[in-house]
Amino acid sequence: KSGLDPGGAWHAWGMACLKAGNLSSAREKFNRCLKPPMDLNQLNHGSRLVQDVVQYLESTVKPILIADDDYFATLRELEATLRTRSLSLEMMCEGKIQHNSYYQECLFYLHSYSTNLAIISFYMRHDCMREALLHLLNKESPSEVFIEGIFIPSYESGKLHMLENLLETIDAGLESWGVYLIAACKYLQRKNYYHILYELQQFMKDHVRAAMTCIRFFTHGAKSYTELGGKQTWLLKIKDHLKVYLQEVSRSSGRKKMAFTFRKKMSATDVSRHINTVDLQMEVTKFLHRCESSGTSQMTGSSLPTLFGNNNMKMDVACKVMLEGKNIEEGFGIAFRVLQDFQLEATEVYSKVAKQLVKQQKYSEIRQLLKCVNESGVAAKNDGDNIILNCLNEFKNIPAEDLDNLIQDMDSDENKIQAYVMCNKLRSAYLVSVRQEKTRAVQLVQHVQQLAENSGDDVVKAICAQWL
């Protein structure tokens, strides 16, 4: 008559029936005020009203009662109460709880008026993980429901192994669980739970991703190659994972249909390439670890370069290896293999190293670098000259004698002239110019004369004029 919403009254009446133990009347009353959710896969536990009903039923101490009008109901109630203190305890009796009318009542309300997450969470609360998983599969619920309802509660309560065993029992190949397992991995990665992630990847037999996680364990947080030296077991694990993957690929290549659809795939060539990278990283690690221990290490950078980074980082590794040995020659072999294996820009790396050597005032080492480059057998004609020319930007810091020695080491006279000009040694530039073929010599001497005039060097200007 007053036009008020009767929902509250029906709910209160339903709760009163529940408390009186009249389950069938309670269902009838609740039917008038409870509504099923629009989307069963929404990430919540349904309406507050349904949660209240389930909460009450779960907290009620009730025995196994199938028929309300059973003559021996009171005796059974007494017997069961002595046997079982609460619903959740009875749950543990290997599924006997499923015959409990209050348990069935909870499920009735959850299935009729609540979400898949609420149903799954109910099963998980009462150690019915298998039922939770089967419900998830049957309803084809999205992966968020699996993460929220099953996965997080499992690892938080230390039951990850139990979950893994059940997943395998329900589907030995894990194919049905692929989407859920990949989502779980992404979730763990976002949370930075890499140890749980690695354990899960091993269970999934997802060897390529497991290898990638091992790379992170090897590189993450290391400040020196001494630290990396202590983490070399991760490099061995990376190799193990990749080798197992290669075996599995070769075994399954004979079959028509390739299984393992959710596991990361990689071509055999790529896997072999990665194994080579790991081997080379082991060599680099041992070498730099030794250098740091013996105190020959000079470089201190903000980040520690490894061969698992991009090309710039790999070039940094090559530089580091050459500069941190007792001399250039000691690390050149490993650095050269890094440059070759990853097809890096060798001249750029050599020039970087030469500039560092200028800063460290190790001018004889620059000459040793040039010797190594020339003897490597793959250097282009002008590589050595270009390395020296790149160094000469720092010429103001190089003592005159060392500077002359470096320029004398250059192969091409043209490059020598260019180098002398860069260093304002116009007299030396003139002396090399006049040794060239007549027509070219005239052009070069005219160029030197012009530079002498611009810089006010009257002596060289006069010599050039006289020769011309």
Side-chain angles (χ1 to χ4, degrees), residues 28-42:
E28 185 197 325
K29 307 299 178 281
F30 285 128
N31 189 37
R32 295 171 182 269
C33 62
L34 298 178
K35 298 273 184 294
M38 298 289 283
D39 174 15
L40 292 175
N41 286 321
Q42 57 196 38

Side-chain angles (χ1 to χ4, degrees), residues 204-252:
M204 291 158 66
K205 297 186 175 60
D206 193 347
H207 293 292
V208 175
R209 286 193 180 98
M212 288 157 77
T213 305
C214 290
I215 290 175
R216 189 191 182 277
F217 283 134
F218 174 70
T219 55
H220 186 68
K223 297 280 186 291
S224 69
Y225 262 88
T226 307
E227 277 181 54
L228 287 185
K231 295 167 93 176
Q232 287 185 77
T233 44
W234 288 114
L235 292 176
L236 295 171
K237 285 184 180 179
I238 298 168
K239 271 181 79 171
D240 289 343
H241 284 300
L242 294 175
K243 282 176 178 172
V244 172
Y245 177 77
L246 273 183
Q247 287 164 6
E248 286 183 359
V249 169
S250 61
R251 272 206 302 272
S252 59

Side-chain angles (χ1 to χ4, degrees), residues 329 366-376:
E329 207 170 351
I366 298 176
R367 299 177 79 177
Q368 193 182 32
L369 170 67
L370 297 172
K371 180 172 168 280
C372 291
V373 171
N374 291 328
E375 287 171 0
S376 68

Side-chain angles (χ1 to χ4, degrees), residues 77-211:
E77 184 167 338
L78 179 62
E79 188 187 343
T81 308
L82 291 170
R83 208 174 51 242
T84 310
R85 291 254 159 72
S86 75
L87 182 73
S88 46
L89 277 175
E90 198 171 350
M91 274 290 177
M92 293 167 189
C93 306
E94 294 177 356
K96 285 181 190 170
I97 185 67
Q98 292 180 25
H99 302 298
N100 182 300
S101 54
Y102 274 65
Y103 172 89
Q104 295 305 324
E105 211 59 22
C106 284
L107 286 176
F108 165 77
Y109 286 107
L110 288 167
H111 279 286
S112 306
Y113 306 112
S114 202
T115 60
N116 286 324
L117 180 59
I119 297 166
I120 284 167
S121 299
F122 175 80
Y123 282 132
M124 291 295 287
R125 273 200 304 281
H126 299 294
D127 295 322
C128 296
M129 196 187 279
R130 184 187 171 82
E131 284 79 357
L133 287 167
L134 291 171
H135 182 83
L136 179 89
L137 268 192
N138 293 337
K139 299 294 176 187
E140 295 179 352
S141 291
S143 45
E144 292 81 5
V145 174
F146 169 73
I147 303 286
E148 201 73 30
I150 299 176
F151 186 69
I152 296 176
S154 294
Y155 78 70
E156 282 183 348
S157 58
K159 290 180 181 169
L160 194 55
H161 284 301
M162 184 181 166
L163 170 63
E164 290 172 350
N165 291 338
L166 277 171
L167 293 175
E168 231 167 7
T169 311
I170 295 168
D171 175 4
L174 300 179
E175 287 301 315
S176 334
W177 307 114
V179 177
Y180 299 118
L181 288 168
I182 294 296
C185 289
K186 285 179 180 168
Y187 166 81
L188 292 170
Q189 205 166 353
R190 277 200 308 277
K191 288 281 187 181
N192 288 332
Y193 296 162
Y194 283 95
H195 289 281
I196 303 175
L197 173 66
Y198 182 51
E199 189 186 324
L200 189 62
Q201 287 167 336
Q202 289 179 94
F203 161 72
M204 291 158 66
K205 297 186 175 60
D206 193 347
H207 293 292
V208 175
R209 286 193 180 98

Side-chain angles (χ1 to χ4, degrees), residues 4 94 167 226 249-250 272 291 304 409 416 420 443 453:
L4 295 172
E94 294 177 356
L167 293 175
T226 307
V249 169
S250 61
S272 304
C291 294
L304 196 63
D409 281 347
K416 282 181 186 172
Y420 283 130
Q443 292 171 343
E453 191 177 330

